[in-house]
């Protein structure tokens, strides 16, 4: 397990946050006063490709490791927050069709929350990774006012995840599928070129946000089209999957092809936030994912473009903020911990 640069010992009871990813788990500890005990990434291999049994054991190792690192007695831990990539139910059961990181048959319909709870002997509170990041962004941005405010977050990655937070709590929905912002279909006028095909999403929808604003959307839809406009571009010589991953570097250099593609993504997210404005009228709109990890000038341009393409009424524009998700690499674990702290404090699951 990687060592944290700054560690302090707990002064009261705590919760642990565990962020499960395709390669690594990230762990943190949050005490009852709302203070995190570590300030950097603390990771160990997630072993999800080895199947559920190995992955649950790796999460248990992450739990034990973070307690050792922070000198936290097990007796002080009241609950554990867990997040994983989706799709999964609100109670942490992986989709019956599997998921990006859980494609082996043994993962299909696997109750990862219940398995970890049984392994640790502690209550485990589950969120998907996008909801956890959205929850942390909300609490980090609003601080003491978090329980009185609302926000919407779009997390751009391989797909497009998201989260809707109201009064400091993630809205999950009846089936646990609220906040699936990537699959909201948006008006495409002003987003696509006149001769550009309507993008298709892996979920079966056409013209949803993920079909445009995601790495998959770049690979399947945007880059193939724009390479017909820039046939001499260096990316034309690369396999499409590699080219899609290289595109952000070109965007940071203000390459015309890359800027055209990322401009379409930003406008699509603006359309999404416009819809959100009319449904929830949030106090903040957060943007996270790979674009946040880009060079500062590029990510600020992207956020500004999203803001410019979000149509708000004057009253909404004065009341709402636009911001990047803070501490992105730690946002999942920290959001999972925030959810666990809230569950303990309120006596809810």
């Amino acid at each position: 397990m990687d060592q944290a640069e700054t560690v302090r010992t707990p002064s009261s009871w705590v919760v642990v946050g565990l962020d499960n990813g395709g390669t690594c788990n990230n762990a943190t500890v949050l005490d009852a006063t709302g203070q995190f005990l570590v300030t950097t990434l603390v990771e160990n291999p997630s072993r999800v490709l080895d199947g559920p049994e190995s992955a649950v054991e790796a999460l248990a190792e992450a739990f034990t490791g973070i307690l050792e690192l922070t000198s936290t007695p097990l007796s002080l831990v009241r609950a554990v927050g867990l997040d994983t990539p989706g799709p999964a139910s609100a109670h942490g059961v992986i989709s019956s069709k599997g998921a990006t990181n859980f494609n082996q048959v043994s993962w299909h319909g696997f109750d990862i929350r219940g398995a970890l709870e049984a392994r640790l002997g502690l209550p485990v509170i589950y969120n998907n990774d996008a909801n956890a990041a959205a929850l942390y962004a909300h609490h980090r941005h609003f601080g003491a006012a978090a329980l009185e405010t609302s926000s919407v977050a779009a997390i751009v990655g391989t797909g497009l995840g998201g989260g809707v937070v109201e009064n400091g709590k993630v809205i999950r929905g009846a089936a646990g599928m609220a906040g699936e912002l990537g699959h909201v279909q948006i008006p495409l006028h002003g987003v696509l070129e006149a001769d550009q095909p309507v993008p298709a999403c892996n979920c079966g929808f056409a013209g949803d946000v993920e079909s445009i604003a995601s790495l998959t959307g770049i690979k399947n839809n945007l880059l193939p089209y724009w390479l017909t406009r820039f046939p001499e571009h260096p990316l034309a010589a690369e396999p499409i999957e590699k080219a899609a991953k290289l595109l952000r570097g070109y965007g940071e250099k203000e390459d015309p092809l890359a800027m055209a593609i990322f401009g379409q993504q930003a406008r699509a997210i603006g359309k999404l936030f416009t819809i959100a404005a009319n449904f929830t009228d949030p106090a903040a709109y957060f943007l996270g994912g790979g674009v946040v990890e880009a060079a500062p000038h590029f990510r600020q341009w992207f956020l500004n473009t999203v803001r410019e393409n979000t149509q708000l009424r004057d009253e909404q524009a004065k009341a709402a903020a636009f911001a990047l998700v803070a501490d992105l690499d730690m946002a999942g674990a920290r959001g999972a911990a925030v959810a666990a702290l809230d569950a303990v404090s309120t006596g809810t699951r």
Side-chain angles (χ1 to χ4, degrees):
M1 176 164 286
D2 295 345
Q3 295 297 304
E5 293 177 2
T6 304
V7 175
R8 70 175 184 83
T9 55
S11 57
S12 57
W13 61 267
V14 304
V15 296
V16 171
L18 299 176
D19 171 45
N20 170 260
T23 304
C24 292
N25 297 318
N26 178 31
T28 194
V29 181
L30 178 64
D31 74 14
T33 69
Q35 298 297 309
F36 289 99
L37 304 194
V38 292
T39 59
T40 56
L41 274 173
V42 183
E43 297 183 308
N44 74 318
S46 63
R47 306 210 302 268
V48 294
L49 297 181
D50 296 334
E53 185 175 336
S54 295
V56 170
E57 192 58 34
L59 284 165
E61 291 168 4
F63 173 81
T64 302
I66 198 67
L67 295 187
E68 291 176 354
L69 184 62
T70 55
S71 301
T72 302
L74 177 61
S75 60
L76 292 187
V77 182
R78 298 279 183 89
V80 177
L82 170 68
D83 79 70
T84 76
S89 76
H91 301 292
V93 178
I94 304 301
S95 167
S96 60
K97 296 183 179 179
T100 301
N101 291 340
F102 310 112
N103 54 11
Q104 295 159 306
V105 174
S106 56
W107 277 113
H108 295 188
F110 182 76
D111 180 3
I112 190 170
R113 186 207 63 80
L116 183 62
E117 186 168 272
R119 172 65 177 80
L120 298 180
L122 287 163
V124 174
I125 288 79
Y126 178 82
N127 282 282
N128 71 43
D129 54 357
N131 279 352
L135 185 62
Y136 175 64
H138 181 90
H139 281 261
R140 174 76 162 72
H141 182 84
F142 288 111
L147 299 181
E148 304 166 2
T149 49
S150 61
S151 65
V152 171
I155 313 295
V156 186
T158 302
L160 187 131
V164 179
V165 177
E166 185 68 35
N167 293 331
K169 295 181 182 292
V170 170
I171 295 177
R172 295 185 178 185
M177 296 182 181
E180 289 290 343
L181 303 184
H183 304 300
V184 173
Q185 291 169 299
I186 57 171
L188 299 176
H189 176 73
V191 176
L192 302 182
E193 298 292 297
D195 63 341
Q196 191 169 359
V198 173
C201 182
N202 287 344
C203 75
F205 285 173
D208 64 11
V209 189
E210 185 171 301
S211 70
I212 299 168
S214 67
L215 181 62
T216 302
I218 290 175
K219 180 186 70 173
N220 292 347
N221 301 311
L222 305 190
L223 189 54
Y225 169 78
W226 283 100
L227 284 174
T228 66
R229 294 286 195 95
F230 294 84
E232 303 301 319
H233 196 281
L235 290 180
E238 301 286 352
I240 194 68
E241 194 157 331
K242 180 180 179 182
K245 292 178 180 179
L246 292 173
L247 188 68
R248 190 177 71 193
Y250 283 89
E252 292 173 332
K253 299 173 185 175
E254 300 184 3
D255 172 81
L257 176 145
M259 297 301 280
I261 289 175
F262 286 116
Q264 289 191 319
Q265 291 197 326
R267 293 195 296 277
I269 295 171
K271 297 278 189 181
L272 170 69
F273 283 168
T274 300
I275 293 171
N278 288 287
F279 267 96
T280 69
D281 189 24
Y285 301 85
F286 296 117
L287 180 66
V291 68
V292 175
E293 299 168 346
H297 73 276
F298 176 79
R299 67 190 185 209
Q300 191 59 53
W301 165 81
F302 194 93
L303 180 65
N304 290 345
T305 306
V306 169
R307 181 192 291 115
E308 291 163 5
N309 286 274
T310 302
Q311 296 179 319
L312 302 178
R313 296 175 178 84
D314 289 343
E315 299 89 338
Q316 292 175 311
K318 292 175 183 177
F322 285 76
L324 301 171
V325 175
D327 306 320
L328 186 65
D329 51 1
M330 296 186 289
R334 288 188 165 195
V338 168
L341 183 67
D342 178 69
V344 172
S345 300
T346 61
T348 61
R349 291 292 298 273

